[in-house]
Amino acid sequence: MALLEVQELSKAFGGVMAVQAVSFSVDAGIVYSIIGPNGAGKTTLFNLITGVYAPCSGEIRLDGCTISGQAPHRLARKGIARTFQNLQICMNMTARENVMVGAHLALDSNLLKGMLRWPSLRRADAAQAAEAAALMQYVGLDAYIDSAAGAMPYGALKRLEIARALAARPRVVFLDEPAAGLNPKETGEIDMLVKKIADSGVTVVLVEHDMKMVMNISDRILVLDYGKKVAEGTAREVRSNPDVIAAYLGKAA
């Protein structure tokens, strides 16, 4: 059984069908990329699966259990985490504090314990801080552990978002254009990081416009155009598919 299954998923905004009866499945521990021209419905599909939008129709299953329309915080508890196309960083916090925000599900939220600063709570906070530092090292941000997030370069902030998503200990992490706006060196670092995450056993679902990166790291690729599924397969299969070529280059090509 696939880890994530999407069946006939649709979403309309007014009279515009942003996603139209899209179906696919994702096995555990792979890199699954979703590509398509601008406006193809990629981010809308992400938002449906991660609970930002409720679908008009269709079903989403995680490990065989229906999760369609559940709120993001409930999906986070089930093992789904994500980053966003536009940075969602708390710039008035340190880098480490931003990562610790991602681990909030594991924190003890008992108000009395917090007011009294129980030793167990202090130990838990220290453990979370240490884990956040370890995650920052994991994504290659050793030099920024206690830096102010607002003083970090853009490329480092993209990796900081990934570290925060991983702090939730997800089974599936959705990365929305992690290489957008990066130079070739930074893109190569993201490339290696995505592979590393998948090799660790965390399934990666990726939306990305950098086709070189997508073809290099993806185990499976889904192609959307005008909200519809155009093709699905390996990089080799997708690259040679005439419908994919037409979607990107036009019918005449």
Side-chain angles (χ1 to χ4, degrees):
M1 180 192 299
L3 176 62
L4 177 70
E5 298 171 278
V6 173
Q7 293 291 327
E8 297 291 315
L9 201 64
S10 295
K11 179 65 177 179
F13 297 99
V16 178
M17 290 297 295
V19 173
Q20 302 184 53
V22 172
S23 298
F24 64 94
S25 60
V26 182
D27 292 333
I30 70 167
V31 178
Y32 189 96
S33 293
I34 302 171
I35 65 172
N38 287 332
K42 304 181 295 296
T43 295
T44 299
L45 182 59
F46 256 37
N47 288 339
L48 289 169
I49 299 171
T50 59
V52 177
Y53 299 149
C56 295
S57 61
E59 187 175 16
I60 308 162
R61 293 190 293 270
L62 183 68
D63 252 352
C65 299
T66 298
I67 59 170
S68 311
Q70 293 190 19
H73 70 278
R74 295 188 181 278
L75 296 176
R77 292 189 181 279
K78 295 178 186 296
I80 291 179
R82 71 167 294 179
T83 65
F84 290 84
Q85 191 173 351
N86 298 315
L87 286 173
Q88 303 290 317
I89 298 292
C90 298
M91 295 297 184
N92 61 338
M93 296 167 62
T94 68
R96 190 202 302 248
E97 288 168 344
N98 268 277
V99 178
M100 290 176 70
V101 167
H104 71 281
L105 293 174
L107 296 175
D108 190 335
S109 58
N110 184 285
L111 179 61
L112 179 60
K113 288 182 182 180
M115 291 174 64
L116 297 178
R117 296 298 297 163
W118 282 17
S120 61
L121 197 61
R122 291 198 298 271
R123 288 193 296 270
D125 287 345
Q128 291 290 347
E131 184 174 342
L135 279 170
M136 291 188 66
Q137 291 171 341
Y138 181 82
V139 302
L141 294 177
D142 315 46
Y144 297 101
I145 289 175
D146 290 312
S147 297
M152 293 171 63
Y154 180 76
L157 292 174
K158 296 289 278 188
R159 280 181 281 155
L160 182 64
E161 273 210 319
I162 295 174
R164 185 177 60 194
L166 294 176
R169 301 176 186 175
R171 302 173 65 196
V172 188
V173 61
F174 288 77
L175 305 180
D176 195 350
E177 296 196 31
L182 303 186
N183 62 41
K185 179 179 180 296
E186 293 168 332
T187 298
E189 292 169 346
I190 293 291
D191 185 316
M192 290 187 290
L193 177 57
V194 171
K195 290 179 185 174
K196 185 170 154 182
I197 293 169
D199 288 344
S200 75
V202 177
T203 303
V204 178
V205 182
L206 175 76
V207 162
E208 183 53 61
H209 280 291
D210 189 312
M211 287 300 100
K212 182 179 178 181
M213 175 180 168
V214 167
M215 296 299 169
N216 185 40
I217 67 175
S218 304
D219 296 292
R220 300 280 292 174
I221 300 172
L222 169 70
V223 187
L224 297 179
D225 192 26
Y226 293 105
K228 296 179 180 179
K229 177 178 175 178
V230 173
E232 184 183 17
T234 64
R236 182 188 295 272
E237 292 166 343
V238 164
R239 189 163 42 219
S240 60
N241 187 304
D243 292 331
V244 175
I245 296 169
Y248 273 96
L249 302 178
K251 297 295 183 183

